[in-house]
Amino acid sequence: MKASNNNFISHNGSRFVESLNEVSFLYGELVCRDMDKIGMRYSYRHILKPLMENKTLTQLELVKLTGQKAPTVSITLRNMENDGIVRREKNSTDRRETHVCITDKGKKMYKKVIGSLEKADKTILNGISESELEALINVLEKMRSNLDVAVK
């Protein structure tokens, strides 16, 4: 298995944990490399999708939808606005409320992002049968359930 720079520590050298971590790391590297080519900053990922799914959202709605803190959303939106991906407008009746909408440039970027993710999915799933994939998904869902209980 190829070594990575992620410096992950696993108990007793668990082959499963190391493999899962390595796959996740390499998939992230592949996606990030393509996102860089598109001009998509990593921080934009939480905000771009909800804006594509809705015509307009307030900054507060974006905070609630993304689970990020208000200052983080504000800074990310400022950067996205500077890059021409979103437009922010104050509500004419309530100046405390800011509406955010995606620009045509943002919509084009989103389409490129989706294309890139589809390409990455084809790469990671190459040579894996439907039954293998279904079995893996079932196991991962059980693991996620175990971890959900453990972290609550």
Side-chain angles (χ1 to χ4, degrees):
M1 183 181 304
K2 180 182 172 248
S4 68
N5 297 339
N6 58 3
N7 299 319
F8 187 78
I9 299 170
S10 64
H11 178 67
N12 292 332
S14 168
R15 187 169 158 229
F16 166 75
V17 172
E18 288 175 358
S19 295
L20 182 63
N21 186 63
E22 190 66 21
V23 167
S24 177
F25 178 79
L26 291 171
Y27 182 83
E29 286 287 303
L30 178 63
V31 169
C32 284
R33 185 179 64 204
D34 279 359
M35 294 304 113
D36 286 344
K37 290 177 189 174
I38 293 168
M40 164 99 165
R41 293 186 197 191
Y42 187 73
S43 60
Y44 296 176
R45 72 194 187 287
H46 296 292
I47 292 177
L48 200 56
K49 184 178 180 190
L51 285 175
M52 279 299 293
E53 293 172 346
N54 300 276
K55 296 288 182 198
T56 267
L57 292 169
T58 66
Q59 282 189 219
L60 183 58
E61 288 170 327
L62 281 168
V63 167
K64 290 177 182 174
L65 283 170
T66 63
Q68 296 185 319
K69 296 185 179 189
T72 302
V73 169
S74 182
I75 291 167
T76 303
L77 287 173
R78 183 185 64 217
N79 292 333
M80 292 176 84
E81 190 172 34
N82 290 340
D83 287 345
I85 297 167
V86 300
R87 185 176 62 255
R88 291 189 289 181
E89 301 168 352
K90 290 284 185 190
N91 183 333
S92 58
T93 57
D94 183 351
R95 303 293 292 165
R96 296 171 295 173
E97 191 173 81
T98 301
H99 291 269
V100 182
C101 60
I102 193 161
T103 64
D104 287 339
K105 180 179 179 180
K107 291 175 185 175
K108 289 176 186 172
M109 176 182 276
Y110 185 77
K111 287 180 183 176
K112 289 179 184 177
V113 167
I114 295 301
S116 177
L117 292 173
E118 287 171 352
K119 186 174 99 179
D121 286 355
K122 284 182 184 176
T123 299
I124 198 169
L125 297 175
N126 185 35
I128 298 173
S129 71
E130 286 294 321
S131 62
E132 289 172 317
L133 184 59
E134 191 62 34
L136 176 61
I137 290 168
N138 288 336
V139 169
L140 290 171
E141 286 175 352
K142 288 178 185 177
M143 290 177 176
R144 182 181 4 190
S145 178
N146 292 342
L147 291 171
D148 281 343
V149 171
V151 298
K152 290 182 180 173

